[in-house]
């Protein structure tokens, strides 16, 4: 397989994941994010990198957003939303943070490829991203390693959610650009 055809194959795999996602569930997730007083995001490893990128775009939209673990992350409480990613379903850190957020009165949105995971009971919403993760890569369904399909799907999902949120919030490229850092 040539590099170009491999790239097309990888994009097709991610596209298939997106095709299997529920448009209604994504729209409902966007509504919940838009209505939250504050949004905090968390993910482990490369999922965490995708979450950081999403946090940046939510900030550009004008939302009060933070990433768990950052020094300036506020406490969560009623009216707030923790959005956590656990592609393989069970990640101890994610489950613990979900419990802490719920105990503080915050809502919790879990993004995962395993919607029936025991951690889901701590979420007020579960958004299923039906992709290969690091926990399922041994089955050989993808030529991409480990959790790359899930992580790539997160990136595409987040970009589509930002577009939907921009429409919902009345943001446009100019308003978003006005919130972009000038310290680069």
């Amino acid at each position: 397989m040539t590099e170009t055809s491999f790239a097309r194959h990888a994009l097709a795999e991610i596209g298939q994941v997106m095709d299997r996602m529920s448009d209604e569930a994504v729209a409902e997730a966007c509504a919940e994010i838009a209505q939250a007083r504050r949004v905090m995001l968390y993910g482990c490893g490369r999922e965490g990198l995708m979450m950081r990128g999403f946090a940046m775009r939510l900030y550009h939209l004008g939302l009060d957003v933070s990433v768990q673990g950052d020094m300036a992350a506020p406490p969560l409480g009623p009216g707030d939303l923790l959005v956590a990613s656990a592609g393989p379903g069970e990640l101890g850190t994610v489950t613990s943070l979900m419990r802490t957020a719920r105990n503080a009165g915050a809502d919790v949105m879990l993004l995962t490829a395993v919607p029936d995971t025991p951690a889901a009971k701590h979420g007020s919403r579960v958004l299923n991203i039906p992709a290969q993760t690091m926990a399922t890569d041994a089955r050989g369904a993808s030529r991409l390693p480990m959790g790359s399909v899930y992580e790539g799907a997160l990136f595409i999902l987040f970009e589509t959610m930002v577009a939907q949120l921009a429409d919902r919030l009345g943001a446009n490229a100019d308003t978003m650009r006005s919130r972009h850092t000038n310290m680069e």
Side-chain angles (χ1 to χ4, degrees), residues 53-129:
F54 190 37
M56 177 190 286
R57 288 291 186 244
L58 294 178
Y59 176 79
H60 293 157
L61 288 169
L63 298 177
D64 187 350
V65 63
S66 62
V67 176
Q68 195 287 325
D70 284 354
M71 303 267 308
L76 293 183
D80 297 334
L81 174 65
L82 172 67
V83 180
S85 178
E90 287 298 314
L91 296 170
T93 307
V94 173
T95 303
S96 178
L97 291 170
M98 291 173 65
R99 267 194 303 256
T100 300
R102 287 306 295 261
N103 288 342
D107 288 322
V108 175
M109 182 185 304
L110 175 64
L111 311 179
T112 185
V114 187
D116 59 349
T117 181
K121 71 182 179 199
H122 302 294
S124 45
R125 174 178 308 280
V126 177
L127 185 57
N128 181 26
I129 302 166

Side-chain angles (χ1 to χ4, degrees), residues 7 26 54 106 153 158 173 179 181:
V26 172
F54 190 37
F158 292 160
R179 295 184 189 101
T181 186

Side-chain angles (χ1 to χ4, degrees), residues 140-158:
S142 174
R143 293 199 50 200
L144 294 174
M146 301 165 70
S148 293
V149 177
Y150 181 84
E151 296 147 4
L154 279 179
F155 176 78
I156 300 300
L157 171 65
F158 292 160

